[in-house]
Amino acid sequence: MCGIVAYIGKKNCKKILINGLKRLEYRGYDSAGISFLNNSSGACRMKVVKEAGKIKELEEELKNIKADGHCGIGHTRWATHGEPTRINAHPHSDCTGNISVVHNGIIENFQEIKKELKRKGHKFVSQTDTEVLPHLLEEYNSGDLLVAMQKLVKKIKGSGAIVAISSENSNEIIGARLASPLIVGVSKNGNFLASDMPAVLEHTRNFIIINDYETVRLKKNSVEIYDKEGKLVERESFKVNWSISNAEKSGYPDFMLKEIFEQPRGVKETMRGRLANGNLNFDEINLSKEQIKNLDKIQIIACGTSYHAALAGKQLIEKWAKIPVEVDYGSEYRYRDPIVEDNCLFIAITQSGETIDTLSAIRESRNKGAKVVAITNIVGSTVARESDSVIYTHAGPEIGVCATKTFTAQIIVMYLMALYFAKIRAIIGQDFYEKVIEELEFIPNKIQDILNRAEQIKEIANQTYKFRCFLFLGRIYGLPMALEGALKLKEISYIHAEGYPAGEMKHGPIALTDKKTVVVGIMPEGEVYEKLLSNIQEVKARKATIFSIVTKGDNKIGQYVHYYFEIPKTMEEISGILSIIPLQLYSYYIAKNLNRDVDQPRNLAKSVTVE
Ligand code: F6R
């Protein structure tokens, strides 16, 4: 939540900050601002420009403002304390206007600090928690802003990435990380601080991760990182293979559509190196064969879309590897005093690697002795660093707020893991193992086949977008996809949608169905197909409009439903990864018909770093 970008170097910072903020807008988009140090008249002066609304409002405002500064900080906000107004937008300043601060996170003890600062005469103008930070820096500053920041880090409770500049020293930017992401980008033209790599990918692919409670002094030619005790630490930069096209729309109207179309590649990349020559290599899981054989239970923790990937994983791990799996929301798990048993493996799934609920659940379980394997898309993310081992999905950066390509990459990891465990535990034979691998290798092409027929889905969306109630029904492998299909539709179209086990309809939800309802049935061929057909008939009899996802060659579905879309044939157990693609497209086209902003849906943010 909230995005930060900062630059110091040879170039003018205005454009760099605005472009960086645009790339971070997925983290928050209700207000934005930048501060920079202007040196034009000999004296160094702080200039702060901020606006309510999206970055383009800020950009408009900046058009008439001369900026020759080479040092500046920027912020895009997802409001927590105080409404999204201009006054509450970051950067915030101290009483003198010399210090300017941006912050991502929450300061839990800000009321107490604010009272203390007010007693000392500090004047506040906003309702934010962040505003205490520049005033604290003002209090602590005796010539070295880094030392003041180190004192500040000890004073505040909560989470945060904080970046500050002072007009008393235009040669440095000071940063600190409590528990929200902060990375350094290193380049020959200057250095950057940012919440996420895409913000500065157009300038550098060399990064350094800042750890919790570390502080950093950034100059145009140097980066100094200090640990919690204030000791200088040596840390090499690493290079990422993401390219700037990952952070651009590349001709697509939105990131969401681009990312849906990137799924064949994301899935292929996630399998690469793990599936080769008919074999599965999963050493990165860091568990011995003996440990895998002795597993009595797996506990998976995740939120939102990642939770649905966890449900899909549970089904296959239980079916193929015969290990009982419990799936829990991070936000529930951490507060229910969970039991961590011996021989229980803990898996956390999070595309961003920063979701606070998942992270807190990891901390809770590790405190109780659990071993945690993280599945994430972000190298060096907090979850990756706080887990015992990490399995990276290689979906590439996902900018659209709505998770699409990271979901299918997570699903592939779950399939591979289930197969790997099943093989090691000798539950499945060689023939079955090879058959699954062969099927998995075809998945990217099969996804492509669906994408090639996106126009068919668009047409169905054009016919149905005016409905106001959608029920997504599935059974077994289709159920996590029904839940995910409903979530996609809700979040980007703002239409009420429910995902439901089809067999449960008659226990209540069928009362909802009437001629104003669309029922989306996820019904690829398999064990429960006939049952689903009956469930669909039940809702059709109540006058609902029916749209079914079926397997190619289903020649009877046409007589039962209003619309259908065919997915390629595959093994029933892994059909979910194909079923979700038309559902993502369906939500996308419905939302576009309604003129929604699919990349930045209202009230949402990409990384949920607050509880
Ligand atoms: C839905 C979506 C959210 C996230 C959830 C967890 O499209 O993006 O539901 O899935 O906030 O995020 P991660 O996976 O980053 O932990």
Side-chain angles (χ1 to χ4, degrees):
M1 316 238 128
C2 300
I4 290 175
V5 62
Y7 171 73
I8 183 162
K10 293 181 191 159
K11 297 187 176 177
N12 187 307
C13 65
K14 185 166 105 174
K15 196 155 165 243
I16 292 175
L17 295 180
I18 285 292
N19 286 349
L21 288 180
K22 281 184 186 163
R23 300 207 194 284
L24 288 174
E25 207 171 12
Y26 70 88
R27 299 179 67 89
Y29 31 86
D30 54 38
S31 51
I34 67 170
S35 297
F36 50 90
L37 295 167
N38 254 345
N39 282 313
S40 50
S41 53
C44 176
R45 281 196 323 251
M46 180 78 71
K47 180 84 189 158
V48 183
V49 187
K50 46 193 197 175
E51 272 306 319
K54 296 203 167 179
I55 314 277
K56 58 179 186 313
E57 317 291 339
L58 175 69
E59 201 175 12
E60 209 43 48
E61 181 67 21
L62 277 163
K63 271 188 187 150
N64 306 319
I65 294 174
K66 187 171 171 297
D68 67 350
H70 296 250
C71 170
I73 59 179
H75 187 268
T76 180
R77 181 168 184 245
W78 187 88
T80 57
H81 295 66
E83 284 175 31
T85 58
R86 192 187 159 278
I87 295 281
N88 288 333
H90 300 212
H92 289 284
S93 307
D94 67 333
C95 296
T96 63
N98 289 337
I99 298 174
S100 192
V101 172
V102 291
H103 165 233
N104 164 28
I106 288 183
I107 316 235
E108 286 160 9
N109 56 342
F110 85 99
Q111 294 286 20
E112 185 188 315
I113 298 176
K114 196 166 174 174
K115 261 192 217 148
E116 218 176 276
L117 287 165
K118 274 184 169 174
R119 273 199 302 272
K120 292 185 173 165
H122 289 264
K123 299 267 180 296
F124 289 82
V125 294
S126 79
Q127 293 124 26
T128 64
D129 51 341
T130 301
E131 202 184 355
V132 299
L133 301 176
H135 291 277
L136 271 181
L137 288 176
E138 181 186 0
E139 271 297 306
Y140 294 151
N141 192 11
S142 49
D144 187 342
L145 198 61
L146 179 93
V147 174
M149 184 69 93
Q150 286 167 337
K151 280 191 189 157
L152 176 148
V153 168
K154 293 205 171 93
K155 173 84 177 173
I156 59 175
K157 293 198 185 92
S159 60
I162 306 164
V163 176
I165 50 175
S166 161
S167 55
E168 283 164 9
N169 188 348
S170 64
N171 297 322
E172 63 178 28
I173 298 177
I174 304 298
R177 171 182 169 144
L178 275 86
S180 300
L182 188 64
I183 51 123
V184 177
V186 187
S187 89
K188 60 180 188 321
N189 289 322
N191 294 319
F192 306 82
L193 280 169
S195 304
D196 205 350
M197 296 172 198
V200 295
L201 262 186
E202 66 184 292
H203 309 287
T204 183
R205 288 203 275 152
N206 295 313
F207 293 99
I208 305 173
I209 304 279
I210 305 295
N211 292 329
D212 280 351
Y213 302 103
E214 286 180 344
T215 44
V216 52
R217 189 196 307 272
L218 205 70
K219 294 190 174 183
K220 70 177 180 202
N221 296 319
S222 66
V223 179
E224 294 163 14
I225 299 172
Y226 296 86
D227 69 10
K228 202 173 174 178
E229 275 70 50
K231 280 212 286 300
L232 194 62
V233 288
E234 287 290 316
R235 190 164 305 146
E236 288 296 306
S237 66
F238 63 94
K239 195 170 182 150
V240 295
N241 58 7
W242 292 356
S243 73
I244 185 59
S245 70
N246 288 136
E248 281 173 348
K249 291 184 193 157
S250 311
Y252 285 89
D254 334 81
F255 282 111
M256 182 178 172
L257 192 63
K258 175 180 176 244
E259 287 158 3
I260 290 175
F261 274 81
E262 282 173 344
Q263 292 182 102
R265 187 181 160 87
V267 166
K268 203 185 266 172
E269 288 297 319
T270 302
M271 291 197 292
R272 190 199 298 279
R274 292 172 179 143
L275 266 194
N277 307 324
N279 255 316
L280 179 52
N281 176 349
F282 236 129
D283 290 348
E284 62 214 299
I285 207 162
N286 221 359
L287 292 173
S288 69
K289 289 192 173 159
E290 241 10 75
Q291 283 172 311
I292 293 173
K293 283 182 189 156
N294 290 334
L295 282 177
D296 291 330
K297 185 183 157 188
I298 292 178
Q299 170 73 60
I300 315 185
I301 296 295
C303 302
T305 290
S306 299
Y307 178 84
H308 300 148
L311 293 178
K314 168 186 165 76
Q315 292 176 339
L316 282 205
I317 295 171
E318 290 188 341
K319 181 159 178 99
W320 288 347
K322 303 286 178 234
I323 309 169
V325 181
E326 206 176 306
V327 179
D328 224 327
Y329 294 109
S331 52
E332 287 295 312
Y333 181 88
R334 58 179 297 199
Y335 289 115
R336 67 171 171 78
D337 197 13
I339 299 163
V340 173
E341 295 126 323
D342 291 343
N343 298 331
C344 171
L345 173 66
F346 192 98
I347 301 175
I349 310 181
T350 162
Q351 66 79 20
S352 63
E354 300 295 345
T355 301
I356 193 73
D357 290 323
T358 307
L359 188 58
S360 308
I362 291 174
R363 289 174 180 157
E364 170 77 22
S365 60
R366 287 189 92 204
N367 280 342
K368 292 184 170 175
K371 286 261 165 290
V372 179
V373 177
I375 300 175
T376 182
N377 199 43
I378 305 294
V379 176
S381 57
T382 312
V383 164
R385 287 178 298 118
E386 291 201 16
S387 298
D388 297 283
S389 55
V390 190
I391 297 169
Y392 286 108
T393 50
H394 298 298
E398 191 173 66
I399 312 285
V401 163
C402 186
T404 52
K405 63 175 180 171
T406 52
F407 178 63
T408 40
Q410 289 169 345
I411 297 276
I412 273 294
V413 168
M414 294 318 291
Y415 290 173
L416 295 179
M417 194 185 270
L419 190 64
Y420 182 70
F421 287 165
K423 182 77 192 330
I424 288 179
R425 290 162 68 93
I427 312 275
I428 53 166
Q430 184 66 18
D431 286 355
F432 183 80
Y433 176 72
E434 283 172 13
K435 183 170 165 236
V436 178
I437 291 182
E438 197 184 333
E439 284 293 332
L440 288 173
E441 281 171 339
F442 282 125
I443 290 293
N445 286 347
K446 291 183 179 178
I447 295 178
Q448 190 58 55
D449 173 76
I450 295 172
L451 295 171
N452 294 346
R453 291 178 287 122
E455 282 296 313
Q456 287 175 29
I457 307 276
K458 186 176 181 181
E459 194 43 44
I460 301 170
N462 291 349
Q463 303 289 326
T464 49
Y465 76 94
K466 287 190 179 146
F467 284 82
R468 278 292 158 273
C469 175
F470 285 70
L471 289 170
F472 288 72
L473 305 184
R475 297 179 88 130
I476 319 291
Y477 309 109
L479 179 57
M481 307 307 146
L483 300 175
E484 176 61 6
L487 177 61
K488 291 299 89 157
L489 189 64
K490 287 187 246 224
E491 67 182 319
I492 58 168
S493 70
Y494 322 146
I495 296 174
H496 182 77
E498 290 276 353
Y500 234 82
E504 277 291 297
M505 283 295 285
K506 54 190 175 296
H507 301 292
I510 198 162
L512 284 172
T513 49
D514 59 18
K515 64 177 183 337
K516 294 186 190 140
T517 313
V518 173
V519 171
V520 183
I522 294 104
M523 39 201 303
E525 67 180 19
E527 205 186 333
V528 289
Y529 175 82
E530 294 295 337
K531 302 256 178 271
L532 269 154
L533 206 53
S534 309
N535 300 140
I536 290 296
Q537 291 313 295
E538 288 154 17
V539 282
K540 196 177 174 205
R542 272 87 187 168
K543 303 213 167 6
T545 295
I546 319 286
F547 167 30
S548 285
I549 307 296
V550 294
T551 304
K552 265 188 189 169
D554 182 331
N555 46 26
K556 63 178 174 190
I557 195 70
Q559 54 188 303
Y560 296 114
V561 302
H562 301 87
Y563 308 99
Y564 65 93
F565 181 84
E566 294 178 324
I567 56 170
K569 206 175 167 66
T570 188
M571 283 176 79
E572 184 184 359
E573 292 98 313
I574 61 170
S575 58
I577 196 164
L578 298 182
S579 306
I580 193 59
I581 311 292
L583 300 184
Q584 294 169 341
L585 287 165
Y586 187 50
S587 306
Y588 172 82
Y589 289 121
I590 288 187
K592 291 301 278 187
N593 266 304
L594 295 168
N595 277 325
R596 307 291 194 230
D597 182 343
V598 294
D599 284 343
Q600 293 167 0
R602 69 184 182 200
N603 307 338
L604 298 178
K606 186 78 183 156
S607 317
V608 185
T609 52
V610 294
E611 268 189 63

